[in-house]
Amino acid sequence: MSPWVVGPFLVTAVFTAATCFQPRALEWTAGRQTDHLLQVLLGDGRKILANHMFVQADVYFHSGYYPSVFDQKHAPKDASHMTDGEAESGHVHSEACDHGTEAHVHTAECDHGDEAHVHTAECDHGEEGHVHTEACGHDHGAADPEDEHMKAMAFLREPRDWIEAFGRRFMVTEHKHLAGGTEREMLPFLKLSAQMDPHRIETYTVAAYWLRRTLGRVDEAEEFLRAGLKANPQSYEILFELGRLYYENRQDLQRAGNLWRAALDRWNRQELAKEKPDLFALDEIAVRLSRVAEEQGNRDEAIHWLQLVLEKDASPSPEAIRAQIERLRAAPRDPK
Amino acid sequence: MRTIFALAGIVIKELYRRKDFYVLFVVTALITVMMASVNFFNEDKIVRYLKDITLLLIWVSSLVIAIGTTARQIPAERESRTIFPLLAKPVSRWQVVAGKFLGCWLACGVALAVFYLFFGVVSGAKAGSLPVLQYVQAFWLQWAMLAIVVGMVLLGSVLFSAPSANATICLVIIAGIFLLGGHLHKLAGSQPPVMASILTILYFLVPHLEWFYASRERLVFEQDLIAWTDCGLASLYVAAYVALFLFLTWVVFRRRILTTN
């Protein structure tokens, strides 16, 4: 038979077979979730890749200064340093407390508890880290999270031989965080990490933090957080971050309050029964709810949220919380 | 010297006659352009991930070109029996070794220059700036590193029977050096005495290619220039290893009885 006959015949047969089987093939997969191509290809291995992508974002955050697998004991244990304006324990936020881009910029009213240092009115903080002044009432014996992080990341020991010493001249040996808008360089890895593992909550909160705080991409941050919330509807962390977006960027107290209440509700459902609940998150949520209530003129509610923090022993600096309650009680009532 | 350059010229011509370079370049270009077009949160100034991926592809491609081109040089001459008229010219065996090395290294340089030109255009267009000195330094350090690779593979081509075996073994050794070369002494610390001694000897013996790879990271993370004196010292380090590999290649090759089998 001529190939000119056989060829078109085979093409026709294949096309016909494809049209017959395609609807059936769709039925076979109808019960399954329509996943992203990478998810289908990689299966559960994508979680490992997602973690790797997140670590890669951290490597970028440190401008390439990062411990290798042979220095893992010096690798950062969590991602709190990636949003280091946030995770300082003992921080009681008040209306006058202003946070800068990377490190905190503290103002007169900014009060910190025992575990972090206690800042006073004269305390001056620079861009890259703390600038201590004479009037700065820090307890210098206490650990500063930024200093702790710098210490923890000092993984380069004295070179043992000339090969190591000479090799250092080519390596990135300066511990420097991304700043001044270059934080955007982390975003591709955070987005990829979220695509690989949509249930990795930290990815959404870290990416949203940088998007809204330093890059001015509030809409993108909200969109990303909402995508995260869709994949993780029970996440109090994402709801909390979304609340912060409405509070800090959109100045929408009502929505922020609602979101934080929803976050608290999720927290109660998930954490309350646990042996070691995430008290840091409770502290963050309740203190912010108190702030919203105070700003809305609802002083009793503000005190109620702070009392909840004391009740659950959630704050590392209960004295500061008590002082805040006293301040609220002592403040003159609004004639309204 | 003229003989060595003539031999080197033949190797360079071979590079542009073969399809390896074109395939690798097109693949690199395609992946780079595809990655450059991805939108991340509407931020169009994100460039480091692109530099990272492109430079990784350039490193892999240049290693494949260096190993592939060098591994087949002497075996191919033997197989096609062109080695006999070549040595009868008269061309001495050390000239063959030197000519092959120079040709492979220059061919790698030409390929690398094209890759870096492309890389400079893409990252310069995306970032809006082009730190030329950093690029020149990274190019030089990578090309210098390839000299060690070429020397090592050339030695392998007179030791191993087949180019494929040579290429595979060299690739494994080179990958091993990149991954572990700088950490062998750390590993030695946690090993029993005999293993610790072996690892320590290896640490001082192997060429530390990972130094040169670090220049890639410096370019990605927009770090300051490496001191030129350090680049000069690294070049001397390369020259020493190349001399050693070429000497060993010549020692093995001059004693080798050449047959067509």
Side-chain angles (χ1 to χ4, degrees):
Chain A
M1 280 177 82
S2 162
W4 295 106
V5 177
V6 177
F9 171 74
L10 287 175
V11 169
T12 314
V14 167
F15 184 77
T16 312
T19 51
C20 288
F21 288 121
Q22 200 265 349
R24 291 178 189 216
L26 278 180
E27 279 173 27
W28 299 335
T29 57
R32 290 186 225 157
Q33 196 184 338
T34 48
D35 283 337
H36 189 272
L37 178 68
L38 282 174
Q39 291 170 9
V40 175
L41 285 174
L42 298 170
D44 276 352
R46 70 183 193 269
K47 286 185 181 170
I48 299 167
L49 273 173
N51 194 47
H52 178 73
M53 289 294 163
F54 194 80
V55 171
Q56 198 59 30
D58 201 12
V59 173
Y60 270 55
F61 180 61
H62 290 93
S63 304
Y65 178 82
Y66 211 75
S68 70
V69 285
F70 299 96
D71 309 294
Q72 273 306 297
K73 62 180 174 183
H74 301 289
K77 300 290 180 289
D78 58 54
S80 63
H81 63 284
M82 286 171 84
T83 53
D84 56 5
E86 297 308 298
E88 294 183 22
S89 54
H91 192 173
V92 179
H93 298 263
S94 66
E95 71 265 36
C97 186
D98 177 28
H99 292 261
T101 52
E102 191 168 335
H104 279 170
V105 178
H106 298 265
T107 63
E109 298 291 320
C110 187
D111 181 21
H112 288 252
D114 284 333
E115 281 201 16
H117 38 239
V118 178
H119 298 264
T120 64
E122 304 295 324
C123 184
D124 176 27
H125 293 258
E127 272 286 301
E128 290 266 315
H130 289 170
V131 180
H132 297 269
T133 64
E134 277 181 28
C136 185
H138 288 209
D139 172 7
H140 286 264
D144 181 332
E146 182 68 10
D147 292 345
E148 282 287 296
H149 173 62
M150 296 302 260
K151 209 187 286 175
M153 284 291 284
F155 59 88
L156 289 175
R157 301 283 177 261
E158 275 293 301
R160 297 171 210 199
D161 46 68
W162 71 269
I163 291 176
E164 198 177 342
F166 189 62
R168 293 262 176 97
R169 299 184 192 186
F170 298 85
M171 285 167 59
V172 178
T173 51
E174 195 187 351
H175 186 183
K176 197 168 62 177
H177 290 171
L178 291 178
T182 55
E183 296 91 346
R184 71 174 82 89
E185 302 292 351
M186 291 191 286
L187 297 176
F189 296 98
L190 293 172
K191 191 162 186 180
L192 280 174
S193 177
Q195 280 181 353
M196 299 269 183
D197 183 5
H199 305 298
R200 205 178 194 290
I201 288 160
E202 220 174 10
T203 312
Y204 298 102
T205 53
V206 170
Y209 172 83
W210 290 112
L211 278 167
R212 67 183 181 82
R213 292 299 288 269
T214 58
L215 302 171
R217 299 265 176 204
V218 181
D219 292 341
E220 284 82 355
E222 186 179 351
E223 195 185 322
F224 197 52
L225 282 171
R226 289 201 181 278
L229 195 60
K230 199 176 167 191
N232 309 276
Q234 297 305 317
S235 167
Y236 58 85
E237 297 97 329
I238 295 176
L239 279 169
F240 173 69
E241 188 63 30
L242 207 50
R244 294 188 58 194
L245 182 142
Y246 274 98
Y247 181 83
E248 291 169 20
N249 302 94
R250 303 217 194 277
Q251 281 80 42
D252 188 339
L253 290 187
Q254 193 60 46
R255 273 200 184 176
N258 291 341
L259 283 160
W260 284 332
R261 269 187 212 96
L264 188 65
D265 179 52
R266 303 281 200 290
W267 189 93
N268 281 330
R269 273 192 261 163
Q270 289 166 52
E271 297 290 319
L272 213 51
K274 282 186 185 170
E275 199 180 327
K276 281 187 180 174
D278 182 3
L279 290 175
F280 178 74
L282 175 67
D283 180 32
E284 293 262 319
I285 297 167
V287 167
R288 278 177 174 79
L289 275 171
S290 162
R291 196 191 308 175
V292 168
E294 190 187 346
E295 284 175 34
Q296 287 175 331
N298 196 342
R299 192 191 306 182
D300 294 338
E301 194 190 332
I303 293 170
H304 161 75
W305 293 123
L306 291 176
Q307 275 171 338
L308 178 75
V309 175
L310 287 178
E311 226 172 78
K312 302 282 181 197
D313 200 16
S315 174
S317 53
E319 295 79 22
I321 299 284
R322 279 190 204 101
Q324 180 84 345
I325 292 172
E326 286 309 311
R327 190 184 63 78
L328 283 168
R329 280 186 180 143
R333 293 247 169 213
D334 194 333
K336 277 191 287 184
Chain B
M1 208 59 195
R2 191 180 294 172
T3 315
I4 293 171
F5 278 112
L7 281 166
I10 296 166
V11 180
I12 295 168
K13 277 176 197 156
E14 190 193 314
L15 175 82
Y16 66 73
R17 281 182 194 144
R18 290 183 67 92
K19 292 180 184 70
D20 312 22
F21 166 71
Y22 303 110
V23 171
L24 288 166
F25 182 75
V26 169
V27 169
T28 303
L30 273 178
I31 294 174
T32 305
V33 170
M34 209 171 72
M35 291 306 294
S37 63
V38 179
N39 174 23
F40 294 106
F41 302 106
N42 301 325
E43 275 285 346
D44 52 356
K45 284 185 180 170
I46 301 174
V47 72
R48 289 189 191 177
Y49 80 99
L50 192 66
K51 284 183 178 180
D52 203 343
I53 292 164
T54 313
L55 274 174
L56 181 70
L57 291 168
I58 290 174
W59 270 80
V60 171
S61 301
S62 67
L63 277 174
V64 169
I65 290 170
I67 295 171
T69 309
T70 315
R72 64 175 170 256
Q73 287 304 316
I74 293 175
E77 294 275 12
R78 281 170 63 185
E79 209 167 284
S80 61
R81 302 182 185 194
T82 46
I83 192 83
F84 300 110
L86 188 67
L87 291 172
K89 281 282 181 190
V91 175
S92 65
R93 293 196 183 196
W94 80 264
Q95 281 174 321
V96 173
V97 170
K100 292 291 182 190
F101 166 79
L102 191 67
C104 291
W105 188 52
L106 289 175
C108 289
V110 172
L112 203 59
V114 176
F115 274 116
Y116 266 80
L117 197 69
F118 168 75
F119 172 58
V121 169
V122 172
S123 63
K126 185 102 173 150
S129 64
L130 191 70
V132 179
L133 278 180
Q134 261 94 342
Y135 280 67
V136 169
Q137 199 173 59
F139 168 79
W140 169 252
L141 286 171
Q142 189 175 349
W143 192 26
M145 185 277 310
L146 287 175
I148 297 182
V149 172
V150 169
M152 190 189 286
V153 180
L154 207 58
L155 173 62
S157 71
V158 293
L159 288 175
F160 302 110
S161 53
S164 55
N166 178 27
T168 310
I169 291 167
C170 286
L171 203 62
V172 170
I173 292 172
I174 290 161
I177 293 173
F178 278 124
L179 291 171
L180 298 171
H183 305 287
L184 285 171
H185 62 319
K186 292 179 199 165
L187 287 173
S190 59
Q191 298 297 316
V194 178
M195 188 49 109
S197 306
I198 294 170
L199 287 176
T200 309
I201 291 167
L202 268 178
Y203 174 71
F204 284 102
L205 205 64
V206 296
H208 285 273
L209 305 179
E210 75 278 0
W211 295 347
F212 303 90
Y213 190 70
S215 67
R216 170 189 165 269
E217 287 181 354
R218 293 188 77 94
L219 202 59
V220 171
F221 296 113
E222 293 165 13
Q223 300 283 321
D224 297 334
L225 274 173
I226 300 164
W228 288 105
T229 46
D230 293 332
C231 283
L233 287 170
S235 307
L236 286 176
Y237 178 82
V238 166
Y241 269 98
V242 167
L244 176 71
F245 282 129
L246 292 186
F247 173 73
L248 291 174
T249 310
W250 173 70
V251 166
V252 177
F253 190 51
R254 70 192 267 264
R255 289 166 184 274
R256 179 62 50 92
I257 298 162
L258 296 170
T259 58
T260 52
N261 296 332

